[in-house]
Amino acid sequence: MKRYYSGTPRETIPMRLTDFFIDAYARWFYKRRKRGSISAAPKVLVASLGHMGDALTVSYLFPLIRQKYPNAIIDVITPTWCKAVNEDNPYIRQAIYLDHILSNRAKSSNWQKIKQFYATFKTAIAILKQEEYDYYIDVRTSNAVSHFILPFTKVKKAIGFNRRGQGGLLDVELTLPENTCFHHFDTYAALLKEMDIEAKLEDVKPYFYILPSISWETILPKLPSALEKPYIMLFPETGEPHRQMSLAFWADIVRKVLQESSYSVVFCGQTDLSARIINEINPSVGDSNRLLNASRLLSIQELALVATQAEYALTLDSFPEHLACIFCKTITIYRVSGLPFFPIANFSTLLFHGHQPSVGIEYVRKNVEIHYYPETDIPEVKNKIAERILLEKVVS
């Protein structure tokens, strides 16, 4: 099989060299292991060593697995930074944590990331050595694949992609053609097909389980002032700052919303960016109580509950977008990516993107309205966002 490696030559040449030795090891040792037959109630290890948005959309596979195999046991191998997504998922038996160096966005040194990887690797392997799985599937088609764990656990059928190396350890080695624009769920469906599960993107039902213990009584004390409906939510942050919009971009939209409606705005995030946007708006005394800075105050569970009552969520290509569009109408901006990560939404979504390869490709989720602009941080996009929110404005 010809392999299409993903990355620059500086990245892919070491992968090719490493794969020469991995292929030899797999051929003479690993693939000669005793596998046994697949159980009618299979144990499945789902690997996703990416980020929180990945963890959320990967969870949409679990109901599909259970529809085919009602008594299936599902474990996940996932980074610690995705704990908030996985720990309360009702489909997961156990989450095994492994922090891959290549997906670690922490503001720490490479040496610290290596130590974190090694510590979590040791813990994960100790757990995996006690298990036997019918299926292993790794959803990653870019960096941070986890195939290196396979020699340390018993797996009857290992399925994954070879674009980032280590493909020789897989029993079913999937590849993707170069320069093809596809949605990431299409790759999930390819993995499920090897488990005799048919999955279509248009049929997926996104979900996120909110614990019964999460209530408005736990949320209201954390906000700087009482949360009065109606409101919109603003998530101005992503894990990669170069994908974010300018302060002035968000400030102009919020000013217009404040002036022409009685909406409040709930700012959400993990940094001081929301405070800087509020300062940029420089609200009058009358408007200041409608700007609620919830950054660092609410848990993921609490954000989900707040989203259930929001009129709109304004987001970027990030985890908050995938979470918000489960529970409310969403407006989102993609500065870098396109079709591969378009939202899987329950509610109508307005999307602006600057990803030229995605232009003209039909998206099967019909509740997503898509607009292409080579540059997204422009007045026309700001105006369209404000106009959409104000179509359903609540007048003071």
Side-chain angles (χ1 to χ4, degrees):
M1 170 185 288
K2 184 177 180 180
R3 291 174 178 156
Y4 295 90
Y5 291 88
S6 171
T8 65
R10 184 178 179 180
E11 296 173 301
T12 59
I13 289 173
M15 289 181 210
R16 295 173 190 272
L17 292 174
T18 304
D19 274 358
F20 175 82
F21 296 100
I22 290 176
D23 290 345
Y25 164 76
R27 184 183 308 113
W28 291 104
F29 299 99
Y30 181 68
K31 289 192 174 179
R32 295 185 177 187
R33 72 193 189 280
K34 295 181 179 179
R35 303 184 196 180
S37 57
I38 301 295
S39 169
K43 288 177 65 177
V44 184
L45 179 62
V46 179
S48 176
L49 297 184
H51 303 105
M52 290 181 68
D54 304 310
L56 183 58
T57 59
V58 166
S59 73
Y60 304 162
L61 302 183
F62 305 157
L64 301 176
I65 294 172
R66 284 283 180 80
Q67 286 172 20
K68 175 70 175 181
Y69 304 108
N71 297 315
I73 294 172
I74 300 172
D75 290 351
V76 297
I77 184 161
T78 179
T80 56
W81 49 83
C82 295
K83 186 176 181 179
V85 176
N86 293 311
E87 63 182 345
D88 298 311
N89 187 293
Y91 292 97
I92 295 174
R93 182 188 67 160
Q94 67 174 334
I96 303 165
Y97 293 102
L98 200 165
D99 295 345
H100 201 292
I101 300 166
L102 295 179
S103 55
N104 192 335
R105 291 175 175 170
K107 294 181 179 179
S108 56
S109 68
N110 288 337
W111 176 239
Q112 288 175 312
K113 292 178 182 179
I114 291 171
K115 291 195 295 183
Q116 186 174 345
F117 168 77
Y118 180 66
T120 55
F121 173 77
K122 285 200 305 180
T123 302
I125 293 305
I127 297 170
L128 290 170
K129 283 183 176 180
Q130 308 304 314
E131 301 289 347
E132 181 175 3
Y133 294 100
D134 293 275
Y135 294 106
Y136 157 93
I137 60 172
D138 187 327
V139 303
R140 302 291 291 173
T141 60
S142 57
N143 60 14
V145 295
S146 62
H147 311 332
F148 56 84
I149 69 167
L150 289 170
F152 301 96
T153 191
K154 297 177 182 178
V155 175
K156 297 175 185 177
K157 186 175 183 180
I159 312 160
F161 294 90
N162 58 24
R163 287 163 57 90
R164 295 294 291 187
Q166 307 165 42
L169 295 171
L170 299 167
D171 300 308
V172 180
E173 185 177 351
L174 300 177
T175 191
L176 297 168
E178 292 182 296
N179 302 320
T180 297
C181 195
F182 53 88
H183 193 274
H184 73 280
F185 194 87
D186 295 334
T187 64
Y188 296 176
L191 295 166
L192 292 181
K193 188 173 183 180
E194 297 296 333
M195 297 172 59
D196 296 320
I197 300 171
E198 294 294 329
K200 294 182 179 179
L201 175 56
E202 54 266 44
D203 298 330
V204 175
K205 297 179 180 179
Y207 72 97
F208 179 77
Y209 181 68
I210 302 176
L211 291 170
S213 59
I214 303 299
S215 68
W216 291 102
E217 284 70 25
T218 67
I219 293 171
L220 292 176
K222 298 183 179 183
L223 294 175
S225 61
L227 184 62
E228 297 179 358
K229 294 183 290 186
Y231 58 86
I232 64 175
M233 302 175 74
L234 173 56
F235 297 87
E237 302 173 14
T238 73
E240 298 175 313
H242 70 277
R243 291 155 53 190
Q244 295 176 174
M245 311 301 286
S246 66
L247 297 180
F249 181 91
W250 295 121
D252 288 346
I253 293 172
V254 173
R255 280 196 203 97
K256 189 174 181 65
V257 169
L258 293 176
Q259 291 166 1
E260 300 187 25
S261 77
S262 61
Y263 285 131
S264 296
V265 181
V266 181
F267 291 80
C268 308
Q270 296 298 316
T271 72
D272 66 347
L273 182 59
S274 291
R276 291 161 57 200
I277 296 170
I278 292 173
N279 187 60
E280 181 82 9
I281 296 168
N282 190 22
S284 65
V285 175
D287 288 335
S288 60
N289 64 350
R290 294 164 60 196
L291 301 177
L292 308 179
N293 190 353
S295 294
R296 302 191 185 100
L297 295 177
L298 301 180
S299 69
I300 299 300
Q301 290 271 329
E302 290 168 335
L303 285 172
L305 183 59
V306 172
T308 64
Q309 299 298 319
E311 298 294 326
Y312 275 100
L314 276 64
T315 72
L316 302 172
D317 171 20
S318 61
F319 166 73
E321 173 216 54
H322 296 292
L323 181 70
C325 68
I326 296 173
F327 299 109
C328 67
K329 291 175 289 186
T330 301
I331 300 173
T332 188
I333 302 170
Y334 283 41
R335 296 195 74 178
V336 178
S337 59
L339 175 67
F341 299 102
F342 280 178
I344 306 173
N346 285 331
F347 288 80
S348 61
T349 300
L350 175 63
L351 185 149
F352 300 91
H353 74 96
H355 190 247
Q356 201 281 327
S358 298
V359 176
I361 300 177
E362 182 181 8
Y363 186 44
V364 298
R365 302 284 293 195
K366 299 305 181 184
N367 61 349
V368 181
E369 179 184 334
I370 300 165
H371 297 275
Y372 169 72
Y373 288 89
E375 297 293 333
T376 51
D377 198 345
I378 58 174
E380 186 174 353
V381 172
K382 286 190 291 189
N383 292 337
K384 286 184 177 294
I385 291 173
E387 288 169 4
R388 179 58 60 91
I389 295 170
L390 294 170
L391 276 175
E392 302 172 48
K393 68 181 179 181
V394 179
V395 180
S396 302

